[in-house]
Amino acid sequence: MAVLSIVVTADHNDVLTTKATRVPRVDDGVRKLMDDMVETMFSANGVGLAAPQVNVPWRVIVLRVENQIYQLANPEMVRCEGDQTGPEGCLSVPGLVGDVTRCLRVVAKGVNRHGKEIRVKGDGLLARAIQHEIDHLDGILFTSRAVEGSLREIVKEEVPDVVTAV
Ligand code: ZN
C-alpha cells in the first residue's frame, strides 16, 4: 500500500469540482486504489476519503468509523432521513471548518472490493461521512453546504479531535 498525496483546494485542480466517473468493474487496479486510499486516510487522520481527493476521477470512497473500514465503488444513497447539523472539515480544505446539515440516518449501496453489491446503513458520524464523500464524487465541497456564517479557520492540530475531517 502507498500513501497518496491529497489534492487541496489551493492546488486549483479541477478534479475536486468535477463529477467523477462510475467504475465499470472492480478489478485489481480499483482494489489497489481502495487500499492506498485507506492507507492515505489513516496517514492523514481522516474518517473518509474520496478518489478525486487523491486525483483519481472515479466513484470510489473509503471510510473508517468506529474501527470499521468501508471501501465502496459507485456508492449511491438509498435512504436519507432526519437531520443533524454539526461541524465538518475536509482533508482537501485544510484549516477550515463549518457547520453542515446532513441527514441523520442513511442507507447507501455500492460495490465492495470483491465486486459484490452491498448496503451500508449508518447514523451520526457514519451518515455524515457517507454524504460528505458522495458529495466529493459529484464535485461538491462541504464549504458550499456550510450554514451561512459558520465557516471558520481552525489550527490543523485541532481537526482530528473536534471535527469530522473527511
Ligand atoms: Zn472532504
Side-chain angles (χ1 to χ4, degrees):
M1 290 199 279
V3 174
L4 308 170
S5 62
I6 295 176
V7 180
V8 296
T9 49
D11 295 332
H12 300 292
N13 184 333
D14 289 344
V15 75
L16 289 180
T17 49
T18 304
K19 204 169 154 73
T21 308
R22 284 178 69 83
V23 174
R25 179 170 159 265
V26 178
D27 57 13
D28 285 346
V30 173
R31 276 187 282 275
K32 180 174 186 336
L33 172 66
M34 287 173 164
D35 291 340
D36 287 347
M37 285 171 63
V38 168
E39 184 88 355
T40 306
M41 170 177 68
F42 272 92
S43 165
N45 239 327
V47 302
L49 199 63
Q53 293 182 275
V54 292
N55 205 21
V56 176
W58 293 350
R59 301 187 80 80
V60 174
I61 64 172
V62 298
L63 305 153
R64 60 140 172 194
V65 176
E66 288 167 2
N67 294 323
Q68 177 95 29
I69 292 175
Y70 303 87
Q71 297 177 314
L72 279 181
N74 304 331
E76 281 173 43
M77 208 63 80
V78 177
R79 271 164 63 186
C80 218
E81 296 171 343
D83 50 39
Q84 56 174 328
T85 301
E88 206 168 297
C90 178
L91 296 172
S92 294
V93 192
L96 270 188
V97 296
D99 297 328
V100 181
T101 301
R102 301 282 190 186
C103 297
L104 179 60
R105 289 176 300 275
V106 305
V107 178
K109 68 174 182 180
V111 177
N112 72 7
R113 62 182 292 112
H114 306 294
K116 187 179 171 225
E117 188 174 305
I118 58 162
R119 286 184 178 228
V120 177
K121 188 179 170 185
D123 59 13
L125 177 59
L126 177 56
R128 176 178 293 281
I130 291 172
Q131 293 165 85
H132 180 113
E133 300 314 335
I134 291 179
D135 267 357
H136 272 300
L137 304 184
D138 292 327
I140 299 167
L141 296 174
F142 86 97
T143 44
S144 69
R145 294 203 187 275
V147 174
E148 209 181 327
S150 74
L151 279 177
R152 54 203 184 270
E153 287 185 24
I154 190 171
V155 293
K156 194 166 178 269
E157 290 69 32
E158 289 177 62
V159 173
D161 294 320
V162 301
V163 296
T164 312
V166 276

